[in-house]
Amino acid sequence: MKILKTTSDLKRLLQKEQNGSIGFVPTMGALHEGHASLLRVARNQTSTVVLSILVNPTQFGDQSDLDNYPQTLAEDLELAEREGVDFVFAPKAADLYGGTPSANKIDWGSITSDFEAAFRPGHFDGVVAVVDRLFKAVAPDIAFFGEKDLQQVAVVRKLTADNHPQVKIVSCDVIRDEKGLALSSRNIRLSDRGKVDALELSKALKRIKDNVNKKEQIALETSNLNANLNVELEYLAGVNEVSYSKKDSPNTWTHVIIAAEVEGVRLIDNIRL
Ligand code: PAF
């Protein structure tokens, strides 16, 4: 496994790998089983696996969220080695961006204005800025993304169709712990009590999936979660995974999505209908 710290080193080395296919898993580090599962799929489908680790400053609206984002490089490298990664690309933001990191404002309709976009203004501007640069640096054949960040998958698919049509996007299922909590790098910041409260999110999603009247169950779960003092609900809604709009009608819904804070940690989750 080779670790590369600059875009120029990465490009030079990847040029030698031109015979096979390049699989790419972009991350912000603090790797967990969800990332490991993406790396396994990449290992199965492509001949060279590239993992990037960069806490991308342009996708954080809130400086304290950026400062608190977990960084566990030594453990990340062990996991990468175990999963058979060929190249770890861990640049400084200024190297990848070619100067001070910045992001252009993106307006792609509802996918960049509803739900996550509304609660985290500028977030997808930063995601698009970094994924665009990462795709230019890595030039992958296939890039792998986790469906926990379902709206991000929609945004990345649009970016790819517009700017990188040669890249195939593969999205992979949400990975959960044995109790049902969606794995996230942010879970490290939850106490044991917080982990129990956080389970209310996946339980609500499951009950909505199981009810024939999804709209009614969403309304019931929303009022229960609003009454729960340990969970600060931001949204709970049905969406279509492509249009990702507040206006999607129930007969077009593919998923139910949720975002909430528990112990000041922002959590998102979704379930396929
Ligand atoms: O999903 C993530 O970890 C990040 O948003 C990504 C895609 C690596 C871009 O920084």
Side-chain angles (χ1 to χ4, degrees), residues 24-29 35 52 54-56 59-60 69 97 123 126-128 130-131 134 144-146 149 152 156 185:
F24 179 40
V25 179
T27 78
M28 299 206 295
H35 299 109
S52 70
L54 169 67
V55 181
N56 170 38
Q59 69 188 77
F60 290 83
Y69 202 83
Y97 280 82
H123 171 66
V127 169
V128 166
V130 77
V131 172
L134 286 167
F144 300 84
F145 290 83
D149 295 294
Q152 171 170 278
V156 166
S185 305

Side-chain angles (χ1 to χ4, degrees), residues 45-83:
Q45 294 193 10
T46 52
S47 49
T48 300
V49 176
V50 181
L51 162 76
S52 70
I53 299 179
L54 169 67
V55 181
N56 170 38
T58 62
Q59 69 188 77
F60 290 83
D62 181 354
Q63 184 65 36
S64 72
D65 194 22
L66 173 60
D67 295 342
N68 288 328
Y69 202 83
Q71 302 218 28
T72 56
L73 188 61
E75 290 92 331
D76 292 351
L77 295 178
E78 277 173 26
L79 183 148
E81 183 94 63
R82 267 200 313 277
E83 298 302 338

